């Protein structure tokens, strides 16, 4: 309420010049953060690498493509070199981008969806339901997530599908707590009472009234989950628990570890790829935070 | 009262710039104001007028560099404040001039005892010994009429009442005998009876000590109560300034006139003949107790009874006011009759149909007949929905086809005097008064028989308040609605309600036609409420707005 509406009787709505579309406003706020733009560019590069993997480096990335352990910039056929089995590192990086993105997106979706449902129900209903759900959440939080991940993968087997599901299962607790906190404050707002007063059902209030208001911080947090998902998969692969049928970045590091002293590039190049991808997610998360919660900035 | 007195605060030609992209370039421009010793100057304005920024500029507490003074001088007792370095400013703040804030709960540190906080002021600005400081603190707590200074000294802010907290704030401001006190809406968060005591306290202390007071408020009742001189601000411009009697009784500027005219008169209109219309809403023996939740180890606390044995009847076309101070249970009543809160016992009947024992599906149908307008127009509209969706939501839930409901929502916009273009907008694009109109349209969309309005105008500026009240009264008469109107503001109740019930501590202490309750209150509590209305002896001169 910054402008007192003293001219209301004339039924004119002041400052009713057409407001720019919401997406445009968000983009403007996002753009203001330079680091976020850098993140977006890095992310776009990873997406392009994944999209054009078959064009730039056609064929199976796991096939023998040249003499083993060729250093980068020596052969024009293998610009980033080859590993100990003669697999092209550049092909691995391009095709690995697909796997990493897929893991990041799917595992994040799984964890956010579980987190939203549990957090929303706990935060909205409160009381005993909240108590029970939060004890379950705490049970998951007390076990170090990577240990739990190792256990799950060991039990389920290390196919790419199981890895993604396992990563989703170990990372839903933080989003759940976040959504719960948002719901606990939002459910006391009068618009929730207003909706109840109109006869709107609980499910509808949770998902159509409150959830859209609770989402911005969760979306920001999703970028963090995405980055940690990729790291977790890499860590699994590094320990030799990755899916050997796919050229993921983690697998490349894990196999390059054996020749780290003689052929550093086998581990370092995929390492840089992971670093830049994770960095891009966290920078974008920062920018999204500015765009979605403009008031949080000092 | 206009004799030669020493000027304490002199503000000349002040201009404050706002960040670019705001709704105006300057928060204040050409602002001239002086406060003399022993004088209370009221700075009056609606929200957004720049009155609080003026106070912050004097204290040099502006959020620089976004908002800063770009021109003008501020001098305190002849000393230029704007050119002082921050360190000297710190020494002046609290010592030679002090500030009293609106919300004493947030202005006091919840982690420290009251005594510690006053002691800190003394520690910072004086060289008194520990024992002397304690003596001074106890003395000043006594001066602000705190009943038991010794025990309050050790109390924490949450352990004392709102009125006591404001007394502590005042004690803190006064302890160093400043020349100037800036009070920013110091009584807005308080109940009327407490407000009356605090205003009297401020006035007494100021007379005894000859302090100059710059009193910021939006409430003309309060102004009439204490002001020596009045300055009226509108959108950063000073529209009128002069002695209190002149401005209150003979305002010159149209804006001042409008503001004063918007203050509801205290005398209710003559009572309507007794209505023979059927009873639409009936409450019988309502009772609600809030079980205080004890911690795991802290044991149980006593439950709080919010409403006990409350009954009333509301007839068709009638307005029933529920008045009382905070904690009287009036809001609980409004939530029980709409069944947003479950009652412990009793019944609520709408047209003879029981609401409290209705099943889920029956309840959905019954809700159509009793709708609510909420207090906070900012919080009661879902910020992520367009206006047309907000208004049409109720009918859609009740089974009306989407396009029919949307068409009806658009018609309702004109009924609440909003332009058709408003339909496609989001709530944040509207001002407070306009949002409350949207809230009213949403309630009307259900074609209810009863509207429960819980403090629907208390978050609005007076001039907007008058318009919204007029709209509510118009709609009630045109659509033959019944209104259950919950308010703490007796002026508003006097103008709008046919009957009132006065609540205190969960019980009805008095009920009857508004005119007779106001003219001849029977219960001592009602009498003290009526006595506490600020500016009750002042009759606003213009009377063209109801």
């Amino acid at each position: 309420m910054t402008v007192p509406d003293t001219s209301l009787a004339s039924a004119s709505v002041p400052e009713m010049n057409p407001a720019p579309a919401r997406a445009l406003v968000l983009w403007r706020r996002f753009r203001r953060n330079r680091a976020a733009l850098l993140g977006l560019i890095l992310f776009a590069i990873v997406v392009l690498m994944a999209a054009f993997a078959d064009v730039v480096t056609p064929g199976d990335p796991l096939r023998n493509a040249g003499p083993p352990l060729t250093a980068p910039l020596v052969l024009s056929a293998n610009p980033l070199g080859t590993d100990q089995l003669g697999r092209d590192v550049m092909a691995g990086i391009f095709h690995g981008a697909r796997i990493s993105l897929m893991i990041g997106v799917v595992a994040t979706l799984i964890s956010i969806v579980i987190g939203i449902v549990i957090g929303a129900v706990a935060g909205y209903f409160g009381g005993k339901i909240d108590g029970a759900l939060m004890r379950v959440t705490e049970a998951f939080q007390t076990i170090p997530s990577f240990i739990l991940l190792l256990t799950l993968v060991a039990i389920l087997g290390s196919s790419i599908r199981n890895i993604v599901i396992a990563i989703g299962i170990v990372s839903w607790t933080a989003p759940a707590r976040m959504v719960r906190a948002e719901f606990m404050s939002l459910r006391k707002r009068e618009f929730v009472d207003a909706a109840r007063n109109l006869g709107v059902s609980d499910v509808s209030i949770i998902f159509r009234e409150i959830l859209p208001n609770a989402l911005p911080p969760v979306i920001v947090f999703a970028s963090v989950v995405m980055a940690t998902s990729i790291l977790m998969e890499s860590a699994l692969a590094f320990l030799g628990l990755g899916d050997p049928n796919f050229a993921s970045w983690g697998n490349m590091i894990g196999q390059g570890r054996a020749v780290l002293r003689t052929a550093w590039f086998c581990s370092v190049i995929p390492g840089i790829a992971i670093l830049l991808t994770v960095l891009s997610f966290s920078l974008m998360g920062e920018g999204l935070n500015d765009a979605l919660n403009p008031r949080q900035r000092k | 009262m206009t004799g030669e007195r020493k000027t304490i605060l002199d503000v000349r030609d002040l201009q404050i710039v706002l960040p670019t992209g705001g709704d105006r370039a300057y928060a204040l421009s050409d602002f001239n104001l002086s406060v003399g010793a022993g004088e209370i100057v009221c700075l009056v304005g609606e929200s957004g007028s720049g009155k609080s920024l003026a106070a912050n500029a004097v204290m040099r507490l502006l959020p620089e560099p976004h908002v800063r003074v770009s021109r003008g001088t501020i001098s305190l007792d002849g000393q230029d404040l704007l050119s002082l370095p921050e360190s000297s400013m710190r020494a002046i703040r609290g010592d030679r001039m002090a500030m009293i804030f609106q919300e004493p709960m947030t202005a006091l540190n919840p982690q420290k005892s009251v005594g510690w906080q006053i002691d800190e002021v003394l520690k910072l600005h004086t060289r008194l010994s520990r024992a002397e400081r304690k003596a001074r603190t106890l003395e000043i707590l006594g001066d602000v009429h705190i009943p038991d200074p010794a025990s309050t000294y050790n109390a924490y802010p949450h352990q004392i009442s709102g009125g006591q907290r404001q007394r502590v704030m005042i004690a803190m401001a006064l302890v160093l005998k400043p020349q100037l006190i800036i009070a920013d809406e110091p009584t807005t968060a308080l109940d009327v009876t407490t407000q009356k005591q605090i205003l009297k306290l401020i006035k007494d202390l100021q007379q005894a000590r000859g302090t100059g007071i710059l009193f910021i408020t939006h409430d003309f009742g309060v102004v009439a109560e204490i002001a020596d001189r009045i300055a009226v601000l509108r959108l950063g411009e000073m529209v009128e300034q002069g002695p209190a009697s002149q401005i209150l009784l003979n305002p010159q500027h149209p804006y001042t006139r409008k503001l004063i005219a918007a203050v509801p008169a205290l005398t209710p209109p003559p009572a309507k003949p007794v209505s023979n219309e059927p009873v639409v809403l009936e409450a019988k023996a309502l009772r609600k107790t809030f079980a205080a939740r004890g911690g795991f180890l802290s044991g149980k606390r006593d439950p709080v009874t919010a409403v006990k044995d409350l009954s009333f009847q509301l007839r068709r076309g009638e307005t029933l006011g529920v008045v009382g101070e905070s904690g009287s249970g009036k809001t609980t009543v409004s939530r029980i009759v709409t069944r947003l809160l479950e009652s412990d016992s009793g019944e609520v009947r709408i047209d003879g149909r029981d609401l409290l024992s209705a099943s889920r599906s029956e309840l959905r149908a019954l809700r159509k007949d009793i709708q609510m307008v909420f207090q906070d127009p900012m919080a009661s509209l879902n910020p992520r929905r367009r206006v047309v969706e907000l208004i049409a939501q109720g009918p859609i839930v009740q089974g009306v086809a989407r396009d029919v409901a949307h068409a009806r929502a658009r018609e309702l916009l004109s009924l609440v005097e909003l332009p058709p273009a408003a339909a496609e907008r989001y709530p944040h694009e509207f001002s407070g008064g306009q949002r409350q109109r949207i809230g009213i349209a949403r309630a009307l969309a259900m074609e209810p028989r009863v509207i429960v309005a819980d403090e629907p105008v208390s978050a609005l500026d007076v001039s907007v308040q008058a318009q919204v009240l007029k709209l509510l009264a118009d709609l009630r008469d045109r659509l033959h609605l019944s209104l259950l109107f919950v308010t703490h503001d007796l002026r508003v109740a006097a103008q709008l309600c046919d009957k009132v019930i006065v609540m205190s501590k969960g019980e009805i202490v008095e009920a009857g036609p508004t005119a007779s309750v106001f003219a001849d209150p029977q219960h001592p509590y009602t009498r003290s409420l009526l006595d506490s209305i600020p500016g009750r002896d002042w009759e606003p001169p213009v009377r063209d707005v109801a």
Side-chain angles (χ1 to χ4, degrees):
Chain A
M1 235 173 82
T2 50
V3 181
D5 43 1
T6 45
S7 60
L8 235 174
S10 58
S12 71
V13 181
E15 39 180 332
M16 278 280 141
N17 47 336
R22 198 175 145 69
L24 192 66
V25 175
L26 290 184
W27 166 241
R28 275 193 203 142
R29 288 200 211 123
F30 184 88
R31 202 177 49 182
R32 234 178 281 159
N33 185 335
R34 291 231 180 121
L37 273 188
L38 177 66
L40 188 66
I41 292 168
L42 286 175
F43 178 67
I45 292 174
V46 177
V47 170
L48 287 177
M49 276 165 57
F52 293 104
D54 282 330
V55 181
V56 182
T57 55
D60 185 358
L62 297 180
R63 75 178 195 279
N64 189 316
L69 295 179
T70 313
L73 307 175
V74 175
L75 294 174
S76 62
N78 311 105
L80 292 180
T82 58
D83 69 359
Q84 63 264 55
L85 294 176
R87 292 175 294 203
D88 185 35
V89 173
M90 189 158 103
I93 295 290
F94 272 69
H95 287 266
R98 287 185 174 179
I99 305 299
S100 290
L101 280 183
M102 191 274 285
I103 288 168
V105 170
V106 179
T108 305
L109 275 182
I110 293 173
S111 74
I112 296 286
V113 167
I114 301 176
I116 283 178
V117 170
I118 291 190
V121 169
Y124 181 74
F125 291 106
K128 284 183 183 145
I129 298 176
D130 179 38
L133 287 175
M134 280 304 110
R135 294 303 83 74
V136 174
T137 312
E138 274 160 20
F140 271 86
Q141 284 187 312
T142 45
I143 309 170
S145 59
F146 195 69
I147 307 278
L148 183 59
L149 180 63
L150 284 179
T151 317
L152 284 173
V153 172
I155 295 170
L156 296 172
S158 57
S159 77
I160 195 93
R161 201 190 63 181
N162 290 343
I163 290 174
V164 169
I165 293 173
I167 292 177
I169 287 176
V170 302
S171 43
W172 61 269
T173 49
R177 283 201 169 268
M178 194 168 211
V179 172
R180 171 175 172 265
E182 288 288 320
F183 265 67
M184 287 174 83
S185 83
L186 285 167
R187 72 157 180 208
K188 295 198 192 82
R189 295 269 287 274
E190 278 186 333
F191 73 82
V192 176
D193 278 344
R196 285 175 61 202
N197 194 230
L198 295 172
V200 180
S201 65
D202 282 336
V203 176
S204 200
I205 289 181
I206 290 178
F207 290 106
R208 303 202 40 214
E209 297 289 324
I210 305 184
L211 188 59
N213 290 288
L215 269 187
V218 179
I219 291 173
V220 172
F221 192 70
S223 65
V224 178
V225 176
M226 228 182 250
T228 46
S229 303
I230 292 175
L231 284 177
M232 279 187 193
E233 191 275 336
S234 306
L236 277 180
F238 182 80
L239 294 177
L241 286 167
D243 190 333
N245 301 317
F246 293 90
S248 86
W249 292 340
N251 278 343
M252 293 170 75
I253 298 179
Q255 283 152 13
R257 185 181 48 158
V259 290
L260 187 59
R261 278 196 293 179
T262 49
W264 54 269
F265 51 87
C266 290
S267 318
V268 170
I269 292 174
I272 292 172
I274 291 174
L275 174 82
L276 292 179
T277 310
V278 170
L279 182 70
S280 82
F281 282 127
S282 83
L283 292 180
M284 279 199 305
E286 188 96 339
L288 275 178
N289 193 31
D290 288 352
L292 294 170
N293 311 322
R295 277 177 217 158
Q296 261 182 19
R297 298 186 74 192
K298 41 183 174 159
Chain B
M1 291 288 279
T2 48
E4 282 303 300
R5 49 174 133 215
K6 200 171 130 203
T7 302
I8 297 292
L9 175 73
D10 194 22
V11 182
R12 289 266 166 88
D13 199 22
L14 186 72
Q15 187 183 57
I16 298 178
V17 273
L18 287 174
T20 47
D23 56 321
R24 58 182 199 253
Y26 300 106
L28 280 179
S29 49
D30 302 323
F31 181 82
N32 290 292
L33 187 76
S34 68
V35 180
E39 188 181 40
I40 300 184
V41 177
C42 277
L43 190 56
V44 194
E46 298 190 291
S47 52
S49 61
K51 54 191 193 303
S52 289
L53 280 182
N56 288 339
V58 173
M59 293 296 276
R60 286 259 309 266
L61 290 172
L62 289 177
E64 290 177 356
H66 308 292
V67 179
R68 63 194 154 75
V69 173
S70 54
R71 206 170 66 200
T73 56
I74 299 174
S75 50
L76 179 72
D77 202 9
Q79 183 178 21
D80 183 16
L81 292 184
L82 290 179
S83 59
L84 284 181
E86 181 56 30
S87 57
S88 338
M89 209 45 222
R90 261 202 300 274
I92 290 180
R93 275 187 218 127
D95 185 6
R96 287 174 53 203
M97 58 182 185
M99 193 151 177
I100 305 172
F101 296 92
Q102 174 171 354
E103 185 45 78
M105 190 68 218
T106 49
L108 289 170
N109 183 344
Q111 292 285 338
K112 300 285 183 192
S113 73
V114 162
W116 189 93
Q117 300 191 46
I118 300 178
D119 188 75
E120 190 189 23
V121 179
L122 291 169
K123 221 179 344 192
L124 284 172
H125 292 284
T126 67
R127 286 156 184 266
L128 296 177
S129 71
R130 181 189 291 257
E132 286 169 321
R133 292 202 307 262
K134 176 146 190 189
R136 271 284 282 284
T137 305
L138 290 174
E139 184 197 327
I140 193 79
L141 284 175
D143 284 352
V144 295
H145 305 302
I146 291 227
D148 183 1
S151 75
T152 308
Y153 185 90
N154 291 317
Y156 287 89
H158 67 268
Q159 293 171 323
I160 55 180
S161 71
Q164 304 280 7
R165 281 197 286 271
Q166 199 56 290
R167 283 172 199 269
V168 169
M169 282 300 296
I170 293 171
M172 218 153 132
L174 284 176
V175 68
L176 289 166
K177 301 195 167 63
Q179 295 164 293
L180 175 74
I181 291 181
I182 298 175
D184 189 357
E185 305 259 12
T187 58
T188 307
L190 306 175
D191 282 325
V192 270
T193 45
T194 325
Q195 165 167 290
K196 189 188 180 198
Q197 294 161 9
I198 295 289
L199 289 178
K200 186 171 178 310
L201 175 71
I202 291 179
K203 197 150 185 152
D204 289 350
L205 290 171
Q206 170 260 349
Q207 272 163 6
R209 295 170 176 232
T211 319
I213 296 185
L214 178 59
F215 195 102
I216 294 168
T217 183
H218 68 282
D219 185 341
F220 259 100
V222 171
V223 174
E225 203 73 19
I226 63 163
D228 294 323
R229 237 157 22 84
I230 300 174
V232 183
L233 264 186
R234 181 182 65 171
L235 297 176
E237 271 174 75
M238 180 85 78
V239 297
E240 193 166 359
Q241 191 170 171
S245 54
Q246 179 196 319
I247 299 227
L248 287 172
L249 300 176
N250 188 18
Q252 297 302 317
H253 194 280
Y255 179 70
T256 319
R257 283 196 201 154
K258 199 173 129 216
L259 273 187
I260 290 181
V263 178
L266 199 47
T267 28
K272 287 189 215 163
V274 180
S275 157
N276 288 322
E277 297 276 352
V279 173
V280 192
L281 176 69
E282 183 174 23
K284 270 192 205 149
L286 293 181
R287 190 180 186 84
K288 177 73 189 175
T289 319
F290 289 106
R293 220 175 75 181
F296 178 53
L297 292 172
S298 58
K300 279 201 173 148
R301 285 186 291 151
D302 289 339
V304 183
T305 307
V307 171
K308 47 188 165 194
D309 277 337
L310 184 119
S311 308
F312 63 83
Q313 287 189 333
L314 177 62
R315 292 175 185 277
R316 192 153 163 229
E318 193 180 59
T319 302
L320 176 67
V322 181
V323 299
E325 296 189 294
S326 57
S328 64
K330 56 189 195 306
T331 294
T332 311
V333 172
S334 75
R335 308 248 148 180
I336 288 176
V337 299
T338 48
R339 210 172 148 185
L340 289 174
L341 202 64
E342 297 292 334
S343 167
D344 293 344
S345 62
E347 34 181 285
V348 173
R349 294 186 164 276
I350 300 170
D351 272 346
R353 289 167 301 165
D354 193 1
L355 180 75
L356 297 190
S357 60
S359 71
R360 241 165 206 279
S361 55
E362 287 167 351
L363 182 63
R364 186 173 285 192
L366 276 172
R367 287 208 187 279
K368 193 179 148 328
D369 285 336
I370 182 158
Q371 277 300 304
M372 191 152 180
V373 175
F374 292 86
Q375 171 171 11
D376 186 345
M378 187 74 194
S380 63
L381 300 174
N382 189 339
R384 304 262 160 173
R385 280 172 182 269
R386 286 179 303 137
V387 167
V388 60
E389 292 167 353
L390 284 166
I391 300 176
Q393 188 182 19
I396 291 174
V397 169
Q398 297 284 342
V400 175
R402 190 177 192 83
D403 42 343
V404 179
H406 277 225
R408 173 97 183 103
R410 285 169 213 276
E411 285 169 31
L412 281 167
L413 280 177
S414 69
L415 194 65
V416 296
E417 293 159 18
L418 285 174
E424 312 303 327
R425 313 245 150 211
Y426 288 90
H428 71 90
E429 296 173 52
F430 296 89
S431 65
Q434 291 169 332
R435 272 186 224 140
Q436 202 54 296
R437 284 164 196 265
I438 297 168
I440 294 172
R442 170 171 64 185
L444 289 177
M446 300 286 265
E447 294 169 3
R449 297 170 148 270
V450 184
I451 288 188
V452 179
D454 183 7
E455 303 265 14
V457 293
S458 62
L460 306 176
D461 280 327
V462 266
S463 60
V464 184
Q465 196 174 43
Q467 293 162 4
V468 171
L469 287 175
K470 190 159 169 287
L471 175 72
L472 264 178
D474 276 358
L475 291 171
R476 171 196 62 191
D477 298 342
R478 261 161 67 192
L479 307 175
H480 229 61
L481 293 168
S482 308
L483 211 56
L484 184 71
F485 194 91
V486 176
T487 184
H488 70 284
D489 189 334
L490 293 160
R491 287 179 182 272
V492 169
Q495 289 312 308
L496 194 70
C497 302
D498 305 314
K499 291 184 185 165
V500 286
I501 55 183
V502 182
M503 286 187 69
S504 169
K505 297 186 185 124
E507 284 177 296
I508 297 181
V509 296
E510 187 159 359
T514 313
S516 59
V517 170
F518 273 60
D520 183 22
Q522 298 299 314
H523 194 277
Y525 178 74
T526 316
R527 248 173 271 154
S528 81
L529 265 189
L530 286 167
D531 278 343
S532 308
I533 299 174
R536 61 190 311 273
D537 301 323
W538 163 59
E539 283 291 311
V542 222
R543 269 294 154 69
D544 50 1
V545 179

